[in-house]
Amino acid sequence: AEYQVPCLDLVSEFVNKLEIVTGVAPARVPGLYLMVQDRHFRFCDAMKYVLNHDDGTCPEEWWKADALLLGVSRVGKTPLSVFLGTLGYKVANCPVLP
């Protein structure tokens, strides 16, 4: 009020109407977007790692993995690796040869 700068709040009216339509109240947590964004980037990094370290590839980078799955062929190492990757874990897998 001291500087007489005009101000128009365009967001509050939209958020209020969105709350009425959806029945979901805003979280009102500062930085929530950044927390969600951080989780998304962890997911992307984990999935990239899983896909690049499937079936025994890049053993020189296994030290970066959260888990290393070892097993004989056809026991489901890759699907389990991908599932764990969706949870944000960097997983490598390697077949054990007889």
Side-chain angles (χ1 to χ4, degrees):
E2 181 180 334
Y3 296 105
Q4 303 289 321
V5 176
C7 177
L8 180 61
D9 181 0
L10 299 173
V11 176
S12 293
E13 187 65 27
F14 172 74
V15 170
N16 291 338
K17 295 237 187 254
L18 192 60
E19 180 180 359
I20 292 168
V21 170
T22 64
V24 178
R28 301 191 194 286
V29 177
L32 184 61
Y33 172 74
L34 295 177
M35 288 182 245
V36 171
Q37 189 177 26
D38 181 54
R39 186 173 55 207
H40 173 72
F41 285 126
R42 280 197 317 270
F43 163 81
C44 290
D45 288 343
M47 288 305 298
K48 182 178 177 182
Y49 186 90
V50 167
L51 296 174
N52 288 330
H53 297 83
D54 185 40
D55 203 28
T57 56
C58 301
E60 66 278 1
E61 295 182 358
W62 286 353
W63 65 272
K64 297 177 185 176
D66 295 313
L68 174 60
L69 302 179
L70 301 173
V72 295
S73 184
R74 314 305 310 159
V75 295
K77 295 179 301 297
T78 297
L80 180 56
S81 296
V82 171
F83 171 72
L84 293 171
T86 65
L87 300 178
Y89 295 103
K90 293 180 180 177
V91 181
N93 75 68
C94 181
V96 175
L97 305 174

